[in-house]
Amino acid sequence: MARKISYQQAINEALAQEMRRDNTVFHHWRRRGRRCRRPGEDDAWGGVLGVTKGLYHQFPGRVLDAPLSEIGYVGAAVGAATQGLRPVCELMFVDFAGCCLDQILNQAAKFRYMFGGKAVTPLVMRTMYGAGLRAAAQHSQMLTSLWTHIPGLKVVCPSSPYDAKGLLIQAIRDNDPVIFCEHKLLYSMQGEVPEEVYTVPFGEANFLRDGDDVTLVTYGRMVHVALEAANNLARQRSTAKCWTCAPPARWTKTAFSKAWKKPAALVVIDEANPRCSMATDISALVAQKAFGALKGPIEMVTAPHTPVPFSDALEDLYIPDAAKIEAAVRKVIEAARSAA
């Protein structure tokens, strides 16, 4: 049996192993503010949630403090990636995307296309996302759909410690810019992770549970909420097939054929807001490519189309939970039975 470590430790280990293997890999970190006055103070502590603790002293000169300027240090990382280095820069919260969007949207994502495939930009931007820490509207958003919409970017949202390590190593070795999204509520999650170096390929569906009545599709932290709902449904004699998705643009025909042989009812779960989201994209893609396999309307379980509230009670209502998924499942199963 593999040893168990946390999601947080898995990311730290992936960074350390890749920096040890390849001296072109470095980590660019935004200093948190006035409390961190000396170089390395923030990263030696490990940042806002301790993910990179210890790397500054393990790799002198390759874990860099940056000023409070996302436009500056993300731009520097993009430039470094075009010059043969493999930077990993951290956008502390995905909510700060607006501060550096031009560097990613108009520069990193476009270089391969603008220069006829001759330019590579092996940049990884790590960022935290998601609600649940009572951090309110400016530190809790799900902006995965924003990144996925941009051609030239690869978007990764690991849901387990095993995936976090393997996907981050894969991201660092990839020659295209990767947005690596880490849900804040997953950092303490424990799971089996091999000590050796390994990669998890991009773009493959991960089937977690089989079932006959409904298919649940989701990603990131919502995988665990969907599995909780599936376990509850099993006790009610309804079974759910659960699988995690890659960005829809990279889904394979094999993933679709495995998913839609059975069952013919679909619920898509996404913590993001519903308009133009991953949930709507997945729903549209399934309706386009597998409409004949569906026996009822597709249901989405998402956050409402509002900013994340600060009130504890309202935030709990805002985030999709197992009860909401179970209600959606009962709705699609009833619709499928009525259509049969």
Side-chain angles (χ1 to χ4, degrees), residues 271-336:
E271 188 182 320
N273 308 116
R275 299 302 305 275
C276 304
S277 68
M278 293 285 285
T280 56
D281 203 16
I282 292 166
S283 300
L285 201 59
V286 172
Q288 179 185 31
K289 294 183 177 295
F291 183 79
L294 295 170
K295 294 184 179 179
I298 299 168
E299 282 292 316
M300 299 192 312
V301 180
T302 71
H305 200 65
T306 68
V308 181
F310 181 63
S311 159
D312 294 6
L314 290 178
E315 186 176 24
D316 290 340
L317 288 172
Y318 178 93
I319 302 170
D321 60 17
K324 293 174 185 175
I325 297 171
E326 292 166 43
V329 166
R330 286 191 286 270
K331 185 175 179 180
V332 297
I333 289 176
E334 183 60 34

Side-chain angles (χ1 to χ4, degrees), residues 43-175:
D43 200 83
W45 176 72
V48 67
L49 289 177
V51 181
T52 56
K53 185 174 182 179
L55 295 182
Y56 179 85
H57 297 295
Q58 287 186 58
F59 303 98
R62 292 169 59 197
V63 177
L64 308 176
D65 276 337
L68 291 172
S69 174
E70 286 80 4
I71 193 172
Y73 74 80
V74 173
V78 173
T82 67
Q83 299 302 308
L85 299 177
R86 291 188 175 270
V88 181
C89 71
E90 179 163 329
L91 184 65
M92 187 179 291
F93 294 94
V94 74
D95 315 71
F96 302 163
C99 300
C100 61
L101 190 57
D102 183 69
Q103 283 69 21
I104 301 299
L105 166 65
N106 282 322
Q107 309 303 327
K110 304 291 190 289
F111 288 154
R112 179 186 288 276
Y113 299 88
M114 291 168 62
F115 301 110
K118 296 179 181 179
V120 296
T121 312
L123 164 73
V124 178
M125 188 167 77
R126 294 182 45 242
T127 188
M128 294 190 293
Y129 73 97
L133 281 186
R134 314 312 188 200
Q138 295 179 332
H139 294 77
S140 306
Q141 294 175 84
M142 285 281 296
L143 298 181
T144 47
S145 302
L146 171 68
W147 301 118
T148 304
H149 180 77
I150 300 172
L153 299 182
K154 297 175 181 177
V155 184
V156 179
C157 301
S159 59
S160 69
Y162 179 90
D163 283 348
K165 178 178 175 179
L167 286 169
L168 183 52
I169 292 174
Q170 178 73 21
I172 292 170
R173 297 182 184 185
D174 199 278
N175 283 331

